[in-house]
């Protein structure tokens, strides 16, 4: 693919948790995560609740200060920058949240919600200029321009999410983090928003980090996929390979339990699949060790390295692939 | 199959600050003994209103304007709250989407469960109630059930809480279980386990289940029969195999084409959204979004039977 705009290296975000007198433990929400993203590309991040996917998205665009690691945005490391120095990067990196009911200021009219980022970043100055750009953006997201005089509560969930997208586009970003952007919407509305996002990407060549718990949605949207579990990437690679031939036992398990809208393909769960824990001071071993049915002795001793597979940039963090070993793929 | 529950011509409205909302419009539904019926619909379809009417948990600003809900032939809607209390949680029980709202944070699981049992078995002792609770937790495959009984809700994971609620809903061996989006707040691996659990318990107990969901894939997994609702109307009904193999109503078809499937190249995104429910719908409720709409659709199509299936669409109605 084309030019790399984002390179994330060993990114860490730890949240301190006070557990007692002078005792501090850490919730290692993002732990040594690395990836790259090219212009116009979509990286999908799948994971269950508590996997750290939202923290990752927010840290990458510096809504959180990382605990460690590098975030090279167009070659410049923005990880250590103080707040003030970040302003010039903010307009290049935007985010769309899950809940369009809480992400839009209820007291502002749509025109001001979309126009404000332009003003803050000096992209439009006069009222007329802002209004005409807001009109263009509304058209781009498929809403009539009259909407600009309305308040968020007058709009439906799908319409609000279109506003959130228009607001993100207002600063002409190169990267947009989409954090479960359709999870609160009905399926027919979800389909509209997903196809709109694809259309926008095709026209603007914007890079997306698409975060969702919904594997079908992520695979529909993404060029590449990263599977996140308890703060780490357990597997990454081109969508077709990861979904078609999952390698990490966690990815396999996850894909095997996704229900299909087809009554002839029923899932049968006979064993206890367990549930993920929060990565609070996790021991330096495989984080999936307690739920893994292919576990080796080494899995309880050392954290698996990231093992490159083939030529497509695929990686898997699992001891099963450590010494050229393979397991049955099912 | 014997009919356990029959809903006939049910209409429900809500009186809100923004006017009257027509939530259900002449709904018909039958649930057989030992059958799992999945009611599928998007928001505003009326699926939760239907569930809440059957168990008589509608809010005070709601009103049933017409229709009947017959449980074993007896009209539930005419029962007093006192009489209903002996049915609710006993013959008909319910599980909800959000386990955190259903559980009281101030009570240990054992207190919560034994209260539910004792409410319908006043003659039983606390020990009996406790041993019944333990038995149900075991059936719901809760690991270390003795330990779970001693816990407060916040000490349990989301999946475990939902298992506890399923166990609780089965304490009194209900004939009908209403499950309103019971897996929508859960991760997929937990969802798969809960669905398998519900199916197993349903089979073992020959219980009837109304499973309400917005998720077609989940409905395909669990249901024997599926009822598709839209804007307060039933648009289609049939066995799960038939409906998924060949949806009849254009809305059902659209719904299926807009679900992203793993490996799917393209999903269709139909324009528009549900009609405003503050007006009573006099035409086909899907007409404005329907690619196949024609003149006749300005008149509301009745739900007609086609063999074992039912559909409310003029495309299938010669009349």
């Amino acid at each position: 693919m084309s030019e790399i705009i984002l390179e994330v290296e060993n990114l860490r975000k730890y949240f301190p948790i006070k557990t007692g007198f002078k005792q501090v433990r850490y919730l290692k929400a993002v732990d040594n995560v690395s990836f790259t993203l090219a212009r116009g590309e979509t990286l999908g991040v799948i994971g269950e609740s508590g996997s750290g996917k939202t923290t990752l998205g927010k840290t990458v665009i510096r809504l959180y200060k990382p605990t460690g690691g590098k975030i090279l945005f167009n070659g410049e490391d923005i990880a250590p920058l103080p707040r003030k120095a970040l302003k010039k990067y903010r307009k290049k990196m935007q985010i769309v949240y899950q809940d369009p009911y809480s992400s839009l200021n209820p007291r502002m009219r749509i025109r001001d919600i979309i126009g404000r980022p332009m003003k803050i970043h000096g992209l439009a100055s006069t009222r007329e200029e802002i209004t005409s750009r807001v009109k263009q953006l509304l058209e781009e997201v498929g809403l009539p321009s009259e909407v600009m005089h309305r308040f968020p509560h007058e709009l439906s969930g799908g319409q609000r999410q279109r506003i959130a997208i228009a607001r993100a586009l207002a600063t002409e970003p190169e990267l947009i983090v989409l954090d479960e952007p359709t999870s609160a919407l009905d399926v027919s509305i979800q389909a509209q928003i997903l196809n709109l996002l694809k259309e926008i990407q095709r026209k603007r060549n914007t890079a997306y980090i698409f975060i969702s718990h919904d594997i079908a949605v992520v695979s529909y949207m993404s060029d590449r996929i990263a599977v996140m579990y308890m703060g780490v990437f357990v597997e990454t690679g081109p969508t077709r390979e990861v979904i078609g031939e999952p390698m990490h036992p966690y990815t396999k398990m996850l894909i095997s339990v996704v229900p299909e809208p087809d009554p002839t393909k029923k899932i049968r769960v006979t064993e206890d699949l367990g549930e993920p824990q929060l990565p609070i001071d996790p021991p330096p071993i495989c984080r999936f060790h307690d739920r893994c049915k292919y576990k080796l002795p080494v899995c309880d001793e050392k954290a698996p390295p990231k093992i490159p597979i083939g030529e497509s940039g695929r990686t898997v963090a699992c001891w099963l692939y450590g010494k050229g070993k393979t397991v049955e793929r099912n | 199959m014997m009919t356990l529950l029959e809903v006939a011509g049910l209409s429900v409205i809500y009186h809100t600050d923004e006017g009257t909302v027509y939530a259900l419009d002449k709904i018909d539904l039958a649930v057989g003994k030992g059958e799992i019926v999945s009611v599928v619909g998007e928001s505003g379809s009326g699926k939760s209103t239907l569930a809440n009417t059957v168990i008589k948990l509608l809010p005070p600003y709601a009103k049933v304007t017409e229709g009947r809900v017959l449980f074993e032939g007896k009209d539930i809607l005419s029962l007093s709250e006192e009489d209903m209390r002996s049915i609710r949680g006993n013959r008909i029980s319910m599980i909800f989407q959000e386990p955190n709202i259903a559980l009281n944070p101030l009570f240990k699981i054992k207190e919560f469960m034994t209260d539910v049992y004792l409410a319908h078995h006043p003659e039983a002792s606390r020990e009996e109630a406790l041993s019944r609770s333990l038995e149900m937790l075991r059936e719901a495959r809760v690991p270390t059930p003795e330990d779970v009984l001693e816990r407060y809700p916040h000490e349990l994971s989301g999946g475990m809480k939902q298992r506890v609620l399923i166990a609780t809903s089965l304490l009194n061996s209900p004939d009908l279980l209403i499950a309103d989006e019971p897996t929508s707040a859960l991760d997929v691996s937990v969802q798969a386990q809960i669905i398998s659990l519900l199916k197993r318990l349903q089979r073992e107990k020959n219980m009837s289940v109304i499973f309400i969901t917005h998720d077609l894939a989940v409905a395909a997994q669990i249901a024997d029969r599926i009822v598709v609702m839209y804007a307060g109307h039933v648009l289609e009904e049939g066995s799960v195999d038939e409906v998924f193999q060949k949806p009849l109503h254009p809305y059902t078809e659209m719904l299926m084409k807009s679900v992203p499937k793993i490996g799917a190249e393209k999903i269709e995104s139909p324009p528009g959204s549900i009609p405003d429910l503050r007006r009573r719908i006099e035409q086909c409720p899907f007409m404005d979004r329907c690619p196949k709409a024609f003149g006749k659709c300005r008149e509301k199509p009745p739900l007609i039977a086609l063999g074992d299936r039912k559909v409310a669409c003029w495309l299938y109605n010669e009349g």
Side-chain angles (χ1 to χ4, degrees):
Chain A
M1 208 166 273
S2 60
E3 174 203 358
I4 299 289
I5 63 160
L6 182 71
E7 258 183 286
V8 170
E9 286 174 29
N10 298 323
L11 189 67
R12 279 171 284 143
K13 178 63 191 171
Y14 298 170
F15 295 100
I17 301 169
K18 292 202 177 75
T19 49
F21 183 64
K22 281 191 176 172
Q23 262 185 333
V24 180
R25 299 173 74 199
Y26 289 94
L27 173 72
K28 301 189 171 179
V30 175
D31 209 1
N32 281 317
V33 166
S34 305
F35 65 91
T36 60
L37 188 64
R39 200 173 290 287
E41 189 190 23
T42 301
L43 173 74
V45 180
I46 42 180
E48 297 181 276
S49 43
S51 61
K53 53 194 192 302
T54 292
T55 305
L56 174 68
K58 286 187 168 180
T59 311
V60 165
I61 61 166
R62 279 303 316 272
L63 292 178
Y64 287 141
K65 188 164 175 45
T67 307
K70 285 184 184 164
I71 305 166
L72 300 169
F73 186 71
N74 288 324
E76 284 171 84
D77 188 4
I78 61 166
L81 295 183
R83 251 181 86 110
K84 276 204 175 128
L86 283 169
K87 191 180 167 189
K88 68 171 176 167
Y89 297 96
R90 294 261 187 246
K91 67 178 174 214
K92 297 286 171 206
M93 305 182 292
Q94 290 288 331
I95 186 164
V96 174
Y97 296 100
Q98 173 172 356
D99 183 3
Y101 291 83
S102 60
S103 67
L104 303 177
N105 188 332
R107 295 187 199 172
M108 279 164 79
R109 290 184 195 274
I110 302 306
R111 181 197 167 277
D112 301 323
I113 289 175
I114 301 174
R116 195 151 180 249
M118 297 174 197
K119 229 160 138 183
I120 290 170
H121 291 288
L123 298 167
S125 41
T126 65
R127 279 193 69 83
E128 291 71 37
E129 217 181 323
I130 290 176
T131 305
S132 96
R133 295 209 47 210
V134 168
K135 258 187 201 162
Q136 274 171 20
L137 286 165
L138 286 173
E139 192 186 330
E140 190 173 349
V141 299
L143 290 174
S145 55
E146 304 88 80
V147 164
M148 84 180 144
H149 308 295
R150 307 252 199 100
F151 287 99
H153 76 263
E154 298 174 75
L155 305 178
S156 69
Q159 288 173 323
R160 284 184 221 205
Q161 206 55 312
R162 287 174 195 265
I163 301 295
I165 293 166
R167 176 178 61 184
L169 294 174
T171 61
E172 309 281 329
E174 294 172 38
L175 166 68
I176 304 180
V177 172
L178 299 156
D179 188 2
E180 305 264 13
T182 61
S183 305
L185 307 176
D186 280 321
V187 286
S188 65
I189 308 300
Q190 162 170 283
Q192 293 170 3
I193 300 292
L194 294 179
N195 286 343
L196 171 68
L197 288 168
K198 283 196 160 191
E199 178 66 20
I200 288 167
Q201 184 174 52
R202 205 176 49 76
K203 277 196 288 206
R204 295 180 170 244
N205 214 19
T206 317
Y208 291 158
I209 296 178
F210 192 101
I211 296 167
S212 178
H213 71 285
D214 187 326
I215 295 157
V217 168
V218 171
S219 67
Y220 179 62
M221 292 300 290
S222 314
D223 301 300
R224 283 186 303 133
I225 279 185
V227 183
M228 203 166 181
Y229 184 74
M230 286 175 73
V232 298
F233 278 2
V234 294
E235 179 162 3
T236 62
T239 301
R240 197 167 300 194
E241 294 181 29
V242 173
I243 299 296
E245 276 188 73
M247 295 179 80
H248 196 283
Y250 176 63
T251 319
K252 285 187 184 188
M253 187 274 275
L254 206 55
I255 289 174
S256 76
V257 293
V258 175
E260 278 191 64
D262 181 347
T264 62
K265 293 180 188 158
K266 291 213 169 103
I267 299 166
R268 265 192 197 93
V269 184
T270 45
E271 67 225 305
D272 182 10
L273 300 175
E275 284 183 64
Q277 310 292 313
L278 288 176
I280 298 172
D281 284 338
I285 59 172
C286 175
R287 294 191 184 177
F288 192 59
H289 74 115
D290 56 336
R291 297 173 74 188
C292 185
K293 55 179 180 180
Y294 305 101
K295 199 169 81 170
L296 305 170
V298 66
C299 304
D300 283 331
E301 291 157 16
K302 281 190 280 186
K306 210 165 155 181
I307 296 158
I309 309 283
E311 305 298 312
S312 59
R314 194 165 182 194
T315 64
V316 56
C318 177
W319 285 114
L320 292 172
Y321 304 92
K323 285 160 196 147
K325 264 187 219 161
T326 50
V327 279
E328 293 271 304
R329 289 170 182 176
N330 48 25
Chain B
M1 197 184 316
M2 232 182 67
T3 303
L4 181 72
L5 180 84
E6 196 189 340
V7 174
L10 182 69
S11 298
V12 173
I13 57 172
Y14 290 112
H15 293 294
T16 73
D17 294 344
E18 288 166 48
T20 303
V21 172
Y22 294 88
L24 292 182
D25 198 334
K26 299 200 172 76
I27 296 291
D28 293 325
L29 173 82
V31 181
K33 187 107 191 83
E35 187 185 31
I36 307 185
V37 176
S38 184
V39 177
V40 181
E42 300 184 276
S43 32
S45 64
K47 56 193 192 301
S48 291
T49 301
L50 176 62
N52 291 333
T53 311
V54 169
I55 201 160
K56 283 190 87 166
L57 281 178
L58 284 172
Y61 54 89
K63 188 165 178 271
V64 176
T65 51
E66 58 185 324
R68 288 175 308 167
V69 176
L70 303 175
F71 179 68
E72 294 182 324
K74 218 172 16 178
D75 191 0
I76 279 187
L77 297 178
S78 61
L79 290 182
S80 67
E81 176 54 27
E82 201 179 333
D83 289 338
M84 188 60 205
R85 237 176 274 152
S86 67
I87 292 179
R88 192 191 299 126
N90 191 26
R91 310 288 313 281
I92 306 178
S93 65
M94 185 153 177
I95 47 178
F96 300 88
Q97 175 170 355
E98 247 315 320
N100 286 322
I101 297 170
L103 286 163
N104 189 329
L106 298 177
F107 291 98
K108 285 183 180 177
I109 299 302
K110 70 170 180 192
E111 295 164 287
F112 175 75
M113 289 186 78
T114 50
D115 276 357
V116 171
Y117 185 74
L118 292 171
H120 297 284
H121 296 84
E123 75 295 341
S125 68
R126 265 209 176 258
E127 285 65 42
E128 280 164 351
L130 207 57
S131 87
R132 175 74 182 159
S133 303
L134 198 59
E135 182 192 333
M136 291 322 297
L137 286 176
R138 283 208 184 95
E139 284 199 24
R141 302 268 160 87
V142 170
T144 64
E146 292 87 352
D147 175 58
V148 166
L149 280 174
E150 297 297 328
R151 304 251 168 203
Y152 287 96
H154 75 269
E155 299 176 281
L156 304 176
S157 69
M160 203 51 71
K161 277 184 262 202
Q162 203 60 299
R163 276 172 202 261
V164 166
L165 287 167
I166 290 171
T168 307
S169 73
L170 301 180
L171 277 172
N172 300 316
S173 312
D175 300 291
L176 175 65
L177 175 68
I178 302 173
D180 190 0
E181 303 263 12
T183 63
S184 305
L186 306 174
D187 282 320
V188 287
S189 62
V190 183
Q191 165 171 287
Q193 297 176 71
I194 296 289
I195 290 174
S196 295
L197 170 69
L198 273 175
K199 277 207 288 203
R200 182 174 59 77
L201 291 171
Q202 180 271 338
R203 251 194 331 265
E204 286 171 9
K205 300 179 186 303
N206 195 31
M207 183 169 65
S208 307
V209 177
I210 299 177
F211 192 98
I212 290 165
T213 181
H214 70 284
D215 189 333
L216 277 176
V218 169
Q221 293 293 316
I222 196 158
D224 298 321
R225 208 150 49 83
I226 170 167
V227 173
V228 179
M229 288 186 70
Y230 184 76
H233 295 72
V234 172
L235 297 189
E236 175 158 9
E237 191 193 311
S239 80
V240 73
D241 293 324
E242 284 180 317
V243 172
F244 276 90
Q245 203 173 55
K246 193 181 179 304
L248 294 177
H249 201 285
Y251 172 66
T252 317
E253 208 180 323
M254 179 209 88
L255 209 55
M256 286 180 185
K257 284 185 182 156
S258 56
V259 180
K261 286 179 269 297
I262 284 185
E265 289 297 313
K266 200 170 164 284
I267 51 172
E268 282 178 31
S269 46
S273 51
I274 63 158
D276 189 347
L277 298 175
R278 285 171 296 181
R279 279 181 305 127
R280 182 142 195 194
I281 297 170
E282 306 289 356
Q283 56 176 27
C284 165
F286 189 57
M287 180 186 175
D288 296 340
R289 300 174 81 186
C290 183
K292 296 175 183 165
F294 58 108
K296 185 88 172 141
C297 304
R298 269 190 286 276
E299 204 180 307
K300 197 189 286 183
L303 189 67
I304 55 154
L306 286 178
D308 295 338
R309 303 177 65 174
K310 283 181 187 163
V311 63
C313 177
W314 291 117
L315 290 172
Y316 304 92
N317 194 335
E318 320 277 283

